[in-house]
Amino acid sequence: MKQRFISSAQIILQLVLAAVGLTGHSYPGKPQIIRCRSLEKETFSCWWKPGSDGGLPINYTLFYSKDSEEQIYECPDYLTSGPNSCYFDKNHTNPWTTYIITVMATNEIGSNSSDPQHVDVTSIVQPDAPVNLSLEANTSANMSYLWAQWSPPPLADVTSNSHVYHYELRIKPEENEGWETLSVGTQTHYEVTSLQAGVKYVVQVRCMLDLGEWSEWSSETRIQIPKGRSPPEKPTIVKCRSPEKETFTCWWKPASDGGLPTNHTLLYSKEGEEKVYECPDYKTAGPHSCYFDKKHTSFWTIYNITVRATNEMGSNVSDPHYVDVTYIVQPDPPVNITLELKKSINRKPYLVLTWSPPPLADVRSGWLTLEYELRLKPEEGEEWETIFVGQQTQCKMFSLNPGKRYIVQIHCKPDHHGLWSEWSPEMYIEIPTDFKVKDMVVWIIVGVLSSLICLIMSWTMILKGYRMMAFILPPVPGPKIKGIDTHLLETGKSEELLSALGCHGFPPTSDCEELLIEYLEVEDSEDQQLMPSHDTPSKSAKIILKETDSDSGRGSCDSPSLLPVKCRESRAPPSTLQTQDIRAAQENRRGKGSWETQCTASEQKTLPFISESTTSCTWLAAQLPCNQPAMFAYHSTVEAFKITLNTTNVNTSPVLVGNQENRQSLYPIAETVCDDMEMRSDMENSRTDPTTVQVRQNKHNDKSPLLNPKLMDYVEVHKVRQDEEPTLLLKHKENSGKTKKYTVPGTSKEYTKVSTVVDHHILVLLPDQRIQHTPVAPEPVMETSQNSQQSQAEKNTSYSTTAPSDPKRDTSGSDYMDPSSFMPSFK
Amino acid sequence: GLVLLVLLVSNMLLTKEGVTSLPICPNGSCQLSLEELFDRAVKLSHYIHFLSSEMFNEFDERYAQGRGFIAKAVNGCHTASLTTPEDKEQAQQIHHEDLLNLILGVLRSWNDPLIHLASEVQRIKEAPETILWKAVEIEEQNKRLLEGMEKIVGRVHSGEIGNDIYTPWDGLPSLQLADEDSRLFAFYNLLHCLRRDSHKIDNYLKVLRCRLIHDNNC
């Protein structure tokens, strides 16, 4: 409360004072003591800042008292330290005393006092900066050094100038920021060493008494360190160039000249001569160069060229430069470039470019032969199109985009060695756009043609109705290749043969239509097959994978990618199945020899076909869009060391088990190659590096498309490289334990022919035609629905017991033909 | 089918058109014109020089890096004793018959070393196939060029052919040196000289063609 009262009273007072001030006069403002400072701790000075003067002349009085005495003294000397200051000389200064100092401002109206300031002389010591800094630079052989001298700060009392100062010096190159501070000691000179020659330095000094603070830095003093006087450094020969294969010039880059004027001389000797010559002409080609005129230029001769730099202190020679002028020809750019637009008979514009060789180059005599390269791009384009035109001096450019402005440049080069010239200056040409009439004609023709096609299409649609749609947009085709029955060829039923090849008549025959429907039925069955898979939950994952694998048409593509999954599963196969596996392996071992021979025999034939596309499944789908009469159950497995047969298909098991037991059945051919990379990575996953043999079971068409909807089984046969035994595996949809439910008597299959070996990893097997008719119902429901067909098919099926290596089989196997052999080569 | 047939027939017609005609034989004697001879010789010499430069570059990159062979190679080539034009003026002043004889001389001087080069180069450690192949190819093409040049000289010369110009080569032992560094240098030098001389021949032939066929207006 009290404080507030006081402060408000002060405000009122000030207001009053201000009011008075407005009328003209008032008390002086409160002065303020700014600082007290002793230069040498024997005297000291104090400075104050005046307050407002109140409009009247003010008198300032400094009073001080000493802590040991009661008495108040006035300032002894108001003049020595300048205005508004008080200087205490030696007699008035006592280092052991604390002074209490106030300044009072007085005018006519009244007076005002500053706050008191306590001063201890020893704590306010700060000398002035040193003065008269002078620098001197010196350079001896390799060292540059600096000699700095200065004087201690001047004092008011000259007689007392006997103090010992400590000095510091700081230095930096003029263009740098960071100072380097050097402690000097008490001397007033210093030598700075290890300076860079040719650099300008800035130097400052400051000083301090044994107590107190550092003085300010003295004013900056600059000095240029002269360059060292030393021998010049090694010059470098930059390049030599002959512009016309008649003269040449070499250029060099001088190194440091050692701070002295330096002379360069070029010396050369020629191959086979001992004599050393000096450059014949330093002037023609400009500074740091030597021009060899025609007289001094020989070809097919190596010049050994060096450049010597010399000054007072010594000389230094460049590394030798070996030059055969033949190889350093770099012509000037071509000249007289003309761009001309011409119109051909069909009114299409084309660009004619002509140019001349650079004027220096004498190409007429045949001494120099030039080759040209031109580049062009649309003005806004990013990338140049470069065209090598050989020795011609003209070029026609067709098919430029109308309406665009092109930039054209040309450069040239000797025919064998040498360098490309610079690019010629940019030339611009605008391709006109006024060729719309012809465009119109084209568009009219296109329009008429397309409307014609539409008419024909719609006409056919009306005639053939909805079925047409199915033909145009068939269901997603699978990799189902039906073998071609040579009986078809023999009987001359060309239509059927064509349909077997996937080339249906137009409009499509009812056969084809039937096939389509059947195909769709199988798709249904596929879905249903998922159901039994739930019966064996332990295998569910696997089964589902296989279902997707089979019949879908994606099989051959997808299966490789599924391989890792399968491989993982195959590491824990049911023990009961392992025994089967072993049997399988043994069985295959028996047939191995003959297999391999067949593989190699047929390898070459099929390779081109396989390599048609990276994913043959896609290829197949594209090639045989309507060739779906046969159904495929397609499986693929990668079976490594622990190959399992736990994948027996429920539906095909009767057949397959039989096959496994008598080891006679090899599945009919078809090929499947999927993305190799994928396959490889899968193999890596399985870590057993198996060689995969995929066998696709192909169903015999039996000449009647109605009987076609039998599933075909695809089987992959894998060869495990580790034991070098090929293992043929049939992949089935279900656990063999379930097979008995669906036993179909008398079914077994036989694979009699290895059609191809693809990529050294995949066997393609051909089945015997007569063994083909293994009915495979995709699942129980499907089986009942297809019973009649199957039984019919079974009747048609006969099984051979001949081993696959039997040569007879080969001939009979040829009844089935790999569709690939009918395909035209696309290479 | 019809379209195919049409295409086939038209294709056949086109092919027939493309068949190059046989050289025209005026006066019953089928001789290539001098121009044709020169064109072929220039093509051949261009090719030979292309091969020899490539071979030299390959060798240089593979075996000569950092060995300073270039400094030692200033001792000249075995054909150095044949005084050949060293600049344009000399090449233009020399009589064309003399220049032709010089070309023949250089070509003959290389017969022997090229045969040895083709066989010895196979002994270089890890010699790449490209170098081996080029050595054989150059040797073969050099013979062909020599034949062609003899034909040209026979046509141009009114009198006798200077058969005696020839420089023997005694560099075989150096290609068989036991010290690898010396042996590699011998190869380097030989390839360097081959590149140089094949370029000389190519250059002289181009000058001669312009002079004799195109009247110095190529």
Side-chain angles (χ1 to χ4, degrees):
Chain A
M1 272 307 277
K2 200 178 175 184
Q3 278 184 345
R4 193 180 279 177
F5 174 76
I6 291 164
S7 61
S8 53
Q10 277 180 345
I11 289 165
I12 291 162
L13 185 69
Q14 280 176 1
L15 282 172
V16 170
L17 288 173
V20 173
L22 281 175
T23 60
H25 313 292
S26 71
Y27 292 103
K30 197 173 167 183
Q32 193 184 346
I33 298 169
I34 309 163
R35 75 177 292 206
C36 295
R37 175 187 173 196
S38 164
L39 290 174
E40 72 302 73
K41 86 187 174 187
E42 289 174 3
T43 66
F44 73 100
S45 309
C46 285
W47 293 265
W48 63 87
K49 195 176 90 183
S52 59
D53 61 0
L56 292 166
I58 297 177
N59 225 355
Y60 290 100
T61 327
L62 184 140
F63 297 105
Y64 68 96
S65 62
K66 297 173 185 173
D67 58 351
S68 53
E69 302 172 30
E70 290 289 313
Q71 205 181 337
I72 293 174
Y73 307 94
E74 204 192 332
C75 170
D77 179 356
Y78 287 110
L79 300 175
T80 306
S81 294
N84 295 328
S85 74
C86 173
Y87 173 67
F88 297 80
D89 63 13
K90 253 186 212 174
N91 299 329
H92 293 87
T93 304
N94 184 347
W96 313 112
T97 305
T98 301
Y99 296 83
I100 301 141
I101 299 168
T102 51
V103 176
M104 184 188 276
T106 316
N107 66 8
E108 284 177 1
I109 294 172
S111 65
N112 207 343
S113 287
S114 71
D115 296 326
Q117 174 103 13
H118 295 251
V119 173
D120 176 8
V121 176
T122 54
S123 68
I124 58 167
V125 178
Q126 187 191 25
D128 276 335
V131 291
N132 302 332
L133 173 62
S134 68
L135 302 170
E136 192 182 327
N138 249 322
T139 305
S140 69
N142 282 323
M143 285 263 284
S144 298
Y145 60 91
L146 185 70
W147 182 253
Q149 264 186 310
W150 57 90
S151 309
L155 293 172
D157 185 359
V158 185
T159 55
S160 69
N161 197 358
S162 58
H163 305 282
V164 176
Y165 293 95
H166 297 268
Y167 297 98
E168 256 184 10
L169 178 146
R170 68 176 183 179
I171 186 166
K172 68 173 178 105
E174 193 174 32
E175 67 273 14
N176 285 14
E177 284 299 310
W179 289 93
E180 185 189 358
T181 306
L182 303 160
S183 181
V184 173
T186 54
Q187 62 202 4
T188 56
H189 53 86
Y190 193 70
E191 186 182 289
V192 188
T193 52
S194 63
L195 295 172
Q196 280 179 286
V199 177
K200 197 170 189 181
Y201 284 93
V202 184
V203 182
Q204 290 180 306
V205 283
R206 64 177 180 181
C207 59
M208 189 178 78
L209 287 164
D210 51 355
L211 51 86
E213 295 173 28
W214 281 108
S215 71
E216 301 289 312
W217 286 106
S218 68
S219 56
E220 292 185 346
T221 310
R222 280 150 216 274
I223 187 162
Q224 172 83 45
I225 307 294
K227 287 176 181 174
R229 291 154 54 86
S230 62
E233 287 175 32
K234 253 196 334 196
T236 320
I237 296 172
V238 181
K239 73 162 185 175
C240 297
R241 176 203 167 199
S242 166
E244 75 301 63
K245 209 176 168 183
E246 290 173 44
T247 66
F248 75 105
T249 305
C250 288
W251 289 266
W252 65 87
K253 200 178 95 188
S256 155
D257 62 359
L260 289 168
T262 303
N263 251 341
H264 288 91
T265 47
L266 183 141
L267 302 169
Y268 70 94
S269 63
K270 280 160 81 172
E271 175 181 348
E273 291 179 43
E274 292 294 310
K275 206 175 168 192
V276 176
Y277 304 90
E278 203 193 326
C279 168
D281 181 353
Y282 288 110
K283 288 178 184 167
T284 306
H288 308 309
S289 75
C290 175
Y291 172 73
F292 295 80
D293 61 12
K294 286 184 192 180
K295 267 187 203 167
H296 293 88
T297 305
S298 302
F299 291 81
W300 305 296
T301 301
I302 294 177
Y303 284 72
N304 178 358
I305 301 173
T306 50
V307 173
R308 177 186 293 272
T310 315
N311 67 10
E312 279 175 25
M313 306 295 293
S315 71
N316 219 332
V317 184
S318 72
D319 291 329
H321 192 75
Y322 295 96
V323 167
D324 187 333
V325 189
T326 322
Y327 307 123
I328 55 160
V329 181
Q330 185 188 24
D332 293 327
V335 293
N336 297 336
I337 299 162
T338 61
L339 305 172
E340 197 184 347
L341 268 181
K342 287 191 177 169
K343 283 176 196 172
S344 54
I345 306 157
N346 61 359
R347 303 199 55 188
K348 210 168 152 50
Y350 63 94
L351 178 63
V352 181
L353 278 150
T354 59
W355 59 89
S356 309
L360 280 178
D362 175 19
V363 295
R364 295 177 159 225
S365 69
W367 178 249
L368 173 60
T369 311
L370 290 177
E371 289 174 340
Y372 302 91
E373 190 175 65
L374 56 94
R375 65 176 186 182
L376 81 168
K377 67 168 187 179
E379 198 172 19
E380 71 278 10
E382 291 276 311
E383 290 199 4
W384 291 95
E385 188 186 345
T386 309
I387 302 150
F388 180 78
V389 294
Q391 297 175 20
Q392 307 172 72
T393 53
Q394 67 154 351
C395 178
K396 286 175 186 155
M397 311 275 316
F398 300 92
S399 65
L400 293 170
N401 287 339
K404 292 214 170 167
R405 219 160 109 91
Y406 280 88
I407 307 172
V408 185
Q409 286 182 302
I410 305 175
H411 66 172
C412 58
K413 176 186 157 311
D415 61 346
H416 281 298
H417 305 283
L419 300 165
W420 284 105
S421 72
E422 303 280 305
W423 286 102
S424 65
E426 292 183 345
M427 302 283 289
Y428 294 87
I429 182 86
E430 184 144 3
I431 311 297
T433 43
D434 57 347
F435 295 94
K436 283 171 185 165
V437 180
K438 206 200 149 210
D439 286 357
M440 281 298 286
V441 172
V442 170
W443 284 115
I444 287 166
I445 289 167
V446 168
V448 168
L449 275 176
S450 52
S451 55
L452 242 166
I453 289 163
C454 281
L455 262 171
I456 293 165
M457 293 278 278
S458 51
W459 177 69
T460 341
M461 289 285 277
I462 292 158
L463 278 185
K464 292 292 162 184
Y466 182 70
R467 284 174 275 173
M468 189 63 191
M469 277 302 287
F471 179 69
I472 294 167
L473 305 167
V476 178
K480 293 141 192 172
I481 302 175
K482 188 179 66 164
I484 286 164
D485 194 345
T486 46
H487 292 315
L488 288 178
L489 286 165
E490 285 161 12
T491 51
K493 291 182 181 176
S494 61
E495 273 182 13
E496 284 176 6
L497 178 62
L498 280 172
S499 75
L501 281 167
C503 309
H504 289 270
F506 181 82
T509 61
S510 58
D511 285 0
C512 188
E513 212 181 305
E514 288 288 344
L515 302 179
L516 285 166
I517 290 158
E518 283 152 15
Y519 170 76
L520 290 170
E521 281 172 55
V522 176
E523 288 288 312
D524 285 342
S525 74
E526 226 180 81
D527 295 335
Q528 287 160 358
Q529 276 179 346
L530 290 171
M531 295 169 66
S533 75
H534 297 303
D535 297 339
T536 53
S538 63
K539 298 250 181 290
S540 61
K542 183 165 198 163
I543 287 153
I544 288 160
L545 285 170
K546 259 165 228 143
E547 303 304 349
T548 43
D549 214 12
S550 63
D551 287 15
S552 64
R554 293 161 287 163
S556 59
C557 266
D558 289 347
S559 52
S561 60
L562 294 170
L563 291 178
V565 180
K566 288 166 187 168
C567 293
R568 259 174 263 132
E569 286 173 340
S570 70
R571 283 174 195 147
S575 56
T576 50
L577 296 168
Q578 275 178 331
T579 53
Q580 280 187 338
D581 169 32
I582 291 156
R583 254 186 288 152
Q586 288 168 341
E587 204 49 56
N588 284 313
R589 220 167 283 145
R590 249 186 277 156
K592 182 186 166 193
S594 55
W595 275 75
E596 285 174 347
T597 49
Q598 287 189 348
C599 292
T600 42
S602 50
E603 185 176 32
Q604 274 194 324
K605 189 178 78 185
T606 326
L607 268 174
F609 165 67
I610 297 305
S611 61
E612 258 341 293
S613 60
T614 49
T615 56
S616 60
C617 52
T618 323
W619 185 87
L620 282 168
Q623 290 296 320
L624 306 166
C626 203
N627 188 19
Q628 312 288 354
M631 308 244 169
F632 299 79
Y634 182 92
H635 310 280
S636 73
T637 38
V638 167
E639 298 293 359
F641 212 28
K642 314 170 192 170
I643 303 159
T644 69
L645 281 180
N646 58 350
T647 59
T648 314
N649 191 335
V650 175
N651 308 303
T652 57
S653 56
V655 181
L656 297 167
V657 167
N659 289 341
Q660 283 154 10
E661 277 159 5
N662 62 20
R663 283 299 126 205
Q664 303 271 344
S665 89
L666 298 172
Y667 276 75
I669 175 190
E671 53 68 39
T672 289
V673 178
C674 282
D675 191 343
D676 253 337
M677 295 301 292
E678 217 176 343
M679 195 97 89
R680 237 169 269 143
S681 65
D682 293 335
M683 288 173 178
E684 281 162 17
N685 282 339
S686 69
R687 290 184 189 177
T688 49
D689 194 18
T691 306
T692 309
V693 182
Q694 293 182 324
V695 180
R696 185 163 99 196
Q697 178 184 0
N698 201 350
K699 290 285 178 172
H700 181 42
N701 197 10
D702 206 21
K703 294 182 185 177
S704 164
L706 283 168
L707 294 176
N708 281 335
K710 294 166 239 158
L711 282 176
M712 299 201 140
D713 266 289
Y714 283 73
V715 179
E716 286 188 9
V717 182
H718 301 279
K719 181 178 170 187
V720 180
R721 216 176 258 158
Q722 284 175 343
D723 59 6
E724 290 298 326
E725 296 292 344
T727 308
L728 186 63
L729 290 166
L730 308 180
K731 197 163 182 190
H732 307 295
K733 288 176 183 168
E734 253 306 338
N735 193 317
S736 60
K738 295 214 162 199
T739 57
K740 281 162 192 169
K741 288 182 192 173
Y742 308 108
T743 305
V744 180
T747 52
S748 81
K749 291 180 191 170
E750 183 163 30
Y751 294 91
T752 55
K753 187 185 177 187
V754 178
S755 171
T756 59
V757 177
V758 179
D759 277 354
H760 309 289
H761 295 300
I762 300 161
L763 269 178
V764 181
L765 304 180
L766 272 173
D768 188 323
Q769 178 202 348
R770 274 159 266 167
I771 317 166
Q772 282 318 302
H773 310 285
T774 313
V776 181
E779 52 103 21
V781 184
M782 195 57 210
E783 195 176 33
T784 49
S785 70
Q786 290 183 334
N787 260 345
S788 57
Q789 290 175 355
Q790 284 172 0
S791 56
Q792 200 178 344
E794 283 152 19
K795 282 168 203 162
N796 294 339
T797 311
S798 63
Y799 297 99
S800 166
T801 53
T802 327
S805 55
D806 190 336
K808 286 175 194 168
R809 279 300 126 216
D810 293 338
T811 49
S812 61
S814 66
D815 286 353
Y816 260 76
M817 299 169 85
D818 185 357
S820 63
S821 57
F822 287 87
M823 293 302 162
S825 166
F826 288 87
K827 282 207 161 176
Chain B
L2 188 69
V3 177
L4 205 73
L5 192 70
V6 169
L7 279 173
L8 199 71
V9 169
S10 64
N11 193 34
M12 282 169 72
L13 287 172
L14 282 170
T15 344
K16 204 146 199 179
E17 277 175 7
V19 170
T20 46
S21 57
L22 291 165
I24 302 155
C25 306
N27 314 328
S29 65
C30 276
Q31 262 194 336
L32 286 172
S33 65
L34 191 63
E35 180 175 359
E36 184 81 8
L37 282 174
F38 260 109
D39 283 349
R40 290 186 185 186
V42 164
K43 256 181 210 160
L44 209 48
S45 68
H46 190 95
Y47 177 56
I48 290 169
H49 177 59
F50 168 78
L51 289 177
S52 58
S53 311
E54 291 276 296
M55 184 159 65
F56 173 80
N57 291 340
E58 274 174 53
F59 186 90
D60 187 43
E61 253 172 50
R62 208 178 162 96
Y63 300 104
Q65 291 305 304
R67 292 179 191 251
F69 284 167
I70 179 79
K72 288 199 270 174
V74 292
N75 297 327
C77 304
H78 75 285
T79 51
S81 57
L82 292 173
T83 316
T84 50
E86 285 198 332
D87 57 41
K88 192 179 99 177
E89 262 174 37
Q90 287 178 23
Q92 283 177 326
Q93 280 162 7
I94 190 170
H95 193 265
H96 65 264
E97 290 188 12
D98 295 338
L99 189 53
L100 278 171
N101 275 332
L102 274 176
I103 293 171
L104 271 182
V106 174
L107 283 173
R108 283 197 200 108
S109 304
W110 275 100
N111 261 348
D112 203 29
L114 281 177
I115 290 166
H116 291 295
L117 177 68
S119 61
E120 294 300 322
V121 82
Q122 294 177 19
R123 298 196 203 168
I124 302 179
K125 203 173 61 184
E126 294 164 14
E129 194 56 41
T130 47
I131 290 185
L132 303 181
W133 172 80
K134 285 189 186 90
V136 173
E137 178 78 356
I138 291 171
E139 192 227 323
E140 237 166 69
Q141 300 302 328
N142 196 61
K143 274 187 212 152
R144 282 187 57 198
L145 182 59
L146 190 56
E147 275 172 39
M149 287 313 296
E150 274 162 358
K151 217 167 217 175
I152 290 176
V153 171
R155 191 80 64 82
V156 171
H157 275 273
S158 44
E160 81 288 1
I161 300 170
N163 237 343
D164 45 345
I165 306 178
Y166 172 85
T167 320
W169 177 70
D170 54 1
L172 182 57
S174 66
L175 293 186
Q176 293 167 335
L177 283 171
D179 173 37
E180 199 192 4
D181 207 53
S182 315
R183 197 177 63 239
L184 283 179
F185 171 69
F187 274 106
Y188 178 90
N189 199 42
L190 190 63
L191 294 181
H192 157 77
C193 292
L194 176 61
R195 179 174 72 152
R196 169 182 293 177
D197 283 346
S198 62
H199 189 248
K200 271 188 196 177
I201 289 165
D202 186 46
N203 218 141
Y204 297 153
L205 275 176
K206 281 169 180 165
V207 168
L208 279 175
R209 180 176 61 169
C210 288
R211 199 200 295 184
L212 298 178
I213 310 294
H214 302 286
D215 197 21
N216 266 332
N217 193 9
C218 268

